[in-house]
Amino acid sequence: MSELRVRFAPSPTGMLHVGGARTALFNWLHARNRRGTFVLRIEDTDRARSTEESIQAIYEGMRWLGLDWDEGPDVGGPYGPYLQSERRPEQIEAAQRLLEAARAYRCYCTPEDLERRRAARLEGGESQVGYDGTCRKEIGKPARDEPFAIRLLAPDEGEIVWEDLCRGEISFQAETLEDFVIVRSDGSPTYNFAAVVDDAAMKITDVLRGDDHISNTPRQILAYRALELPAPRFGHVPMILGPDGTRLSKRHGATSVTAYREQGILPDALFNFLALLGWAYDDSRELFTREELIEVFTLEKLGKTPSTFNQEKLEWMNGVYMAALPIEEKVAIARAHLESKDLLRHLPDEDAVRRLVEALGERFKMPHDVIDYADFLFTDRIVPDEEGRQRAAQFPEGIALLPELASRLESLERFEGEQAEEALRGLAKEKGRKAGDLIHPSRIALTGKKHGLSIFDVMLLLGRERTIRRLRAFASEAAGD
Ligand code: GLU
């Protein structure tokens, strides 16, 4: 069996989109699972839209996700350049061969000619208004001194069929395919032709790509036939949908790998998440390391229906990967996030970020959680929300004890570890009350909310001084002072 060779062939016209990243990832997993070769080819033939910045963003996104390429820009390989624009001589040469073999012809029709004839046919009631074959009479003839495009001579009847790696048999009627342009009048090869010449030159065995390319595939198969080259296997993976059921796009918010990275998604989490967008191991298992995915990934388990991008699930998964990080890394993530929002200055001391991360525990899924769960740290004035107010009102006796609690906390030798907790429980016991009678109003006094982190963690995070001040202020406000 010949070696498996796959490629990821992005057009560098923007950021690396999650859809593209998923295509790259499936190809990469397929190659790694089968000990094949993963090729990166930058399809930069659209000179007007391709940018160097986008090429760099693609490299960066792939490197960040750990999708290393065996052949391609930077690493090279045996099959010439891996930037499509640099492969043009080979593509033009292939078109030349087709002209000589009478499998392609020069077309001198101008865009205006084409448009006029198309309009006339539409008016005459025709529905198939592809190229009408006017220049087929040029087949085998030498070039005239006029601008021309090159068209592939497509069959008028029959079927183009392939066994799709993802969807099973797909067929197109030849009559729906026109003699399509393979080289434009400005001398540039079209995508459908350049991709075929390049895939053949690079000995690609499996073309795995998004299903938006399905309609290109019969044309590409015709090009392989004309060039007398074996076509690769094709597989078209279903698109990714946004939560509203339409194709995932910028309208749905962040869609580039860079944007998720900036949100604080970890590369291993995004990798795991993307692998499950259109592929499943079984009905239940969701967590896989990279190595496990390489081990179990097979094309048979690719889904046939579109998958929905679920941000909540991504954040949940990020939490799983976050929990597995060493504490130092989590602290660094939390610190960087607080710093970026200029909130570090609200924390009493250097060690406070670590204590915050420890207090969050498994709640720390995304960098913004350090703010969402600990907003009370970053303000000087607590205004209880409605729910908090109602909760506090249930504990008038507890509220009355808050000044006493504050004094006891004030006189503690040290304000760390279990000491605050012991002081609170001791006071409750002495006064014949349940600890909860003090805990609930304390929470409202310190955070303004009914739910949240452990109250003793809250106290330590705030530090003694702010804790005492808030307890006293709340009690005196409740007493109507
Ligand atoms: N350059 C094409 C794109 O970015 C990919 C084509 C292919 O995979 O054949 O959509």
Side-chain angles (χ1 to χ4, degrees):
M1 201 173 72
S2 68
E3 190 216 6
L4 177 100
R5 291 178 58 84
V6 297
R7 86 309 193 262
F8 174 49
S11 303
T13 55
M15 305 298 272
L16 178 61
H17 184 272
V18 285
R22 183 197 58 166
T23 299
L25 190 141
F26 283 169
N27 276 289
W28 186 89
L29 285 173
H30 187 36
R32 295 290 174 261
N33 173 267
R34 299 266 301 268
R35 312 241 182 301
T37 301
F38 176 61
V39 177
L40 173 63
R41 182 175 71 233
I42 300 289
E43 300 207 320
D44 60 342
T45 45
D46 185 343
R47 303 305 290 165
R49 292 179 60 225
S50 300
T51 64
E52 182 56 34
E53 193 190 351
S54 166
I55 295 180
Q56 293 305 326
I58 291 166
Y59 296 162
E60 222 181 276
M62 289 179 68
R63 288 198 181 108
W64 181 72
L65 275 171
L67 300 173
D68 56 329
W69 50 99
D70 306 313
E71 292 173 22
D74 282 6
V75 299
Y79 299 108
Y82 289 85
L83 282 182
Q84 193 158 60
S85 59
E86 292 176 7
R87 308 185 58 81
R88 188 182 279 199
E90 210 173 317
Q91 296 150 8
I92 296 295
E93 203 256 328
Q96 211 60 44
R97 261 189 289 138
L98 293 185
L99 284 174
E100 278 155 27
R103 292 188 147 137
Y105 57 89
R106 295 180 184 84
C107 171
Y108 299 94
C109 301
T110 64
E112 297 74 37
D113 292 339
L114 294 173
E115 192 40 51
R116 190 168 24 80
R117 297 205 303 263
R118 184 172 296 135
R121 287 163 68 202
L122 274 176
E123 209 158 288
E126 274 184 61
S127 56
Q128 300 276 352
V129 288
Y131 184 63
D132 60 7
T134 300
C135 286
R136 278 187 174 185
K137 60 183 186 303
E138 300 291 333
I139 293 173
K141 292 200 184 146
R144 304 202 308 242
D145 191 18
E146 277 174 58
F148 61 84
I150 303 176
R151 288 185 186 272
L152 188 99
L153 180 62
D156 292 328
E157 50 193 39
E159 259 188 343
I160 293 115
V161 187
W162 75 93
E163 189 61 31
D164 197 89
L165 293 167
C166 191
R167 312 190 152 211
E169 188 177 294
I170 299 184
S171 68
F172 278 78
Q173 295 300 320
E175 67 213 46
T176 64
L177 302 167
E178 59 182 353
D179 293 348
F180 61 95
V181 173
I182 57 174
V183 179
R184 298 183 191 88
S185 58
D186 64 3
S188 63
T190 56
Y191 155 69
N192 273 326
F193 193 62
V196 164
V197 174
D198 291 355
D199 282 339
M202 294 178 178
K203 301 197 166 28
I204 299 302
T205 57
D206 295 32
V207 168
L208 211 55
R209 58 187 171 196
D211 65 2
D212 47 333
H213 285 290
I214 285 186
S215 63
N216 288 321
T217 301
R219 292 175 177 79
Q220 295 184 7
I221 290 173
L222 289 179
Y224 281 103
R225 281 190 199 161
L227 289 163
E228 295 182 13
L229 291 168
R233 290 178 287 262
F234 291 97
H236 294 89
V237 290
M239 60 178 142
I240 303 174
L241 304 179
D244 60 354
T246 66
R247 185 182 207 100
L248 187 70
S249 74
K250 288 202 189 90
R251 279 181 302 114
H252 297 105
T255 52
S256 73
V257 169
T258 316
Y260 288 104
R261 178 186 185 169
E262 281 165 6
Q263 278 181 13
I265 297 293
L266 299 166
D268 287 347
L270 188 59
F271 189 100
N272 189 159
F273 178 80
L274 289 178
L276 298 183
L277 276 181
W279 179 89
Y281 178 65
D282 59 19
D283 291 344
S284 54
R285 183 165 170 199
E286 305 213 274
L287 295 171
F288 297 87
T289 64
R290 228 168 261 271
E291 290 66 34
E292 287 167 341
L293 280 167
I294 291 174
E295 190 65 34
V296 300
F297 184 86
T298 58
L299 299 181
E300 290 74 51
K301 291 184 170 171
L302 282 174
K304 292 178 175 44
T305 50
S307 37
T308 303
F309 194 99
N310 180 339
Q311 175 80 17
E312 229 169 88
K313 179 170 165 186
L314 173 59
E315 295 193 8
W316 163 76
M317 200 172 265
N318 206 52
V320 175
Y321 283 87
M322 191 78 107
L325 290 181
I327 179 80
E328 282 70 30
E329 277 183 51
K330 287 194 261 192
V331 170
I333 291 169
R335 177 181 296 280
H337 189 69
L338 291 171
E339 197 145 39
S340 74
K341 305 279 177 204
D342 193 26
L343 291 173
L344 258 190
R345 65 199 161 84
H346 290 275
L347 296 180
D349 55 65
E350 261 303 290
D351 200 42
V353 182
R354 171 185 292 265
R355 294 203 305 273
L356 173 54
V357 168
E358 282 170 353
L360 282 170
E362 296 201 344
R363 283 174 274 220
F364 189 27
K365 296 184 171 67
M366 297 288 289
H368 64 73
D369 289 326
V370 297
I371 299 173
D372 295 355
Y373 284 103
D375 54 350
F376 58 87
L377 282 177
F378 310 111
T379 174
D380 286 329
R381 200 175 133 64
I382 293 295
V383 181
D385 61 19
E386 190 45 39
E387 213 186 20
R389 221 184 292 279
Q390 286 176 11
R391 176 67 147 201
Q394 295 167 354
F395 300 93
E397 296 89 349
I399 294 176
L401 285 174
L402 294 185
E404 172 67 17
L405 175 62
S407 302
R408 293 204 182 182
L409 295 177
E410 194 167 33
S411 59
L412 285 175
E413 209 166 295
R414 285 170 302 135
F415 192 75
E416 52 187 57
E418 320 271 276
Q419 294 185 342
E421 174 162 9
E422 280 164 14
L424 182 144
R425 292 191 191 280
L427 175 62
K429 201 164 177 200
E430 258 175 52
K431 304 287 177 187
R433 309 221 64 93
K434 286 196 259 163
D437 293 348
L438 277 169
I439 288 176
H440 294 300
S442 294
R443 180 186 298 289
I444 315 301
L446 299 180
T447 72
K449 297 204 177 80
K450 185 171 153 183
H451 301 291
L453 303 178
S454 140
I455 187 64
F456 305 111
D457 284 334
V458 167
M459 289 181 178
L460 295 184
L461 287 169
L462 279 169
R464 180 178 345 220
E465 205 187 307
R466 284 205 284 176
T467 299
I468 292 169
R469 203 175 335 119
R470 288 184 191 189
L471 291 174
R472 288 185 174 143
F474 187 73
S476 70
E477 235 169 79
D481 297 352

